[in-house]
């Protein structure tokens, strides 16, 4: 599964980057008709034996006019970092309007390295080609009570 080389007949190629496996799990909890909580866990492992986990909590406000607003907090830990040099806290926020979304995240290091790094900013802009917020009968997150 994590082989560094791939062979196709007489042709053999070797990967420059290590293969990475991800395991992700989340669960949506309906607090009210318009408020949802989504705890999640991400585990990451690669061929160089680097292991990482993220634990997150996301709160989503399901507004009218096909608009969702969400806030999230993530704790990230790289398990092979020895003294914990790669711990981070990542607050983020975003809005989804119909087929469009916009998000912002700020990764703040929690180690001795934070005096050398002020954090990382991330802006995400997107378009959902699968319809309004991906809510359809094939989507496991489809919630008919929220469809107008």
């Amino acid at each position: 599964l994590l082989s560094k080389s791939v062979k196709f007949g007489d042709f053999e190629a070797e990967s420059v980057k290590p293969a990475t496996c991800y395991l992700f799990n989340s669960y949506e909890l309906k607090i009210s008709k318009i408020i949802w909580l989504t705890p999640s866990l991400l585990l990451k492992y690669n061929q160089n034996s680097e292991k990482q986990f993220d634990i997150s909590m996301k709160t989503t406000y399901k507004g009218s006019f096909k608009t969702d607003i969400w806030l999230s907090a993530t704790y990230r830990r790289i398990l092979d970092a020895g003294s914990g040099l790669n711990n981070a806290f990542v607050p983020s926020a975003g809005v989804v309007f119909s087929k469009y979304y916009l998000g912002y995240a700020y990764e703040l290091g929690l180690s001795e390295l934070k005096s050398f790094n002020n954090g990382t900013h991330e802006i995400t802009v997107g378009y959902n080609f699968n319809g309004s917020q991906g809510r359809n009968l094939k989507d496991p997150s489809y919630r008919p009570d929220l469809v107008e």
Side-chain angles (χ1 to χ4, degrees), residues 2-4 14-21 44-52 78-81:
L2 294 177
S3 175
K4 285 188 176 183
E14 191 162 317
S15 174
V16 177
K17 289 189 171 186
T20 304
C21 290
K44 178 179 162 183
Y45 172 81
N46 71 25
Q47 287 177 312
N48 293 338
S49 296
E50 295 169 347
K51 299 174 203 85
Q52 170 187 320
I78 297 187
L79 300 174
D80 299 327

Side-chain angles (χ1 to χ4, degrees), residues 56-68:
S56 303
M57 180 61 76
K58 178 178 171 184
T59 303
T60 306
Y61 168 74
K62 304 280 184 184
S64 57
F65 306 110
K66 299 179 184 176
T67 302
D68 293 355

Side-chain angles (χ1 to χ4, degrees), residues 21-124:
C21 290
Y22 295 89
L23 178 63
F24 178 77
N25 193 20
S26 69
Y27 185 78
E28 285 190 319
L29 302 163
K30 183 178 180 179
I31 302 303
S32 70
K33 186 173 181 175
I34 59 172
I35 303 292
W36 294 73
L37 288 179
T38 309
S40 63
L41 177 66
L42 170 70
L43 301 173
K44 178 179 162 183
Y45 172 81
N46 71 25
Q47 287 177 312
N48 293 338
S49 296
E50 295 169 347
K51 299 174 203 85
Q52 170 187 320
F53 79 86
D54 291 9
I55 187 164
S56 303
M57 180 61 76
K58 178 178 171 184
T59 303
T60 306
Y61 168 74
K62 304 280 184 184
S64 57
F65 306 110
K66 299 179 184 176
T67 302
D68 293 355
I69 299 170
W70 57 267
L71 296 171
S72 177
T74 299
Y75 172 73
R76 175 169 297 141
R77 168 100 179 164
I78 297 187
L79 300 174
D80 299 327
S83 62
L85 296 176
N86 292 307
N87 296 344
F89 174 68
V90 186
S92 58
V95 63
V96 179
F97 179 73
S98 187
K99 297 180 180 185
Y100 304 93
Y101 59 90
L102 176 66
Y104 171 77
Y106 178 71
E107 183 172 343
L108 177 63
L110 300 176
S111 70
E112 303 88 52
L113 296 177
K114 67 183 174 185
S115 60
F116 301 101
N117 182 351
N118 292 328
T120 303
H121 299 272
E122 178 182 318
I123 296 174
T124 305

Side-chain angles (χ1 to χ4, degrees), residues 26-28 36 38 62 68 128 130 132-147:
S26 69
Y27 185 78
E28 285 190 319
W36 294 73
T38 309
K62 304 280 184 184
D68 293 355
N128 185 349
N130 191 28
S132 177
Q133 296 173 300
R135 293 183 185 150
N136 58 45
L137 293 175
K138 295 178 184 176
D139 185 346
S141 65
Y142 175 72
R143 296 179 288 275
D145 59 315
L146 297 175
V147 176

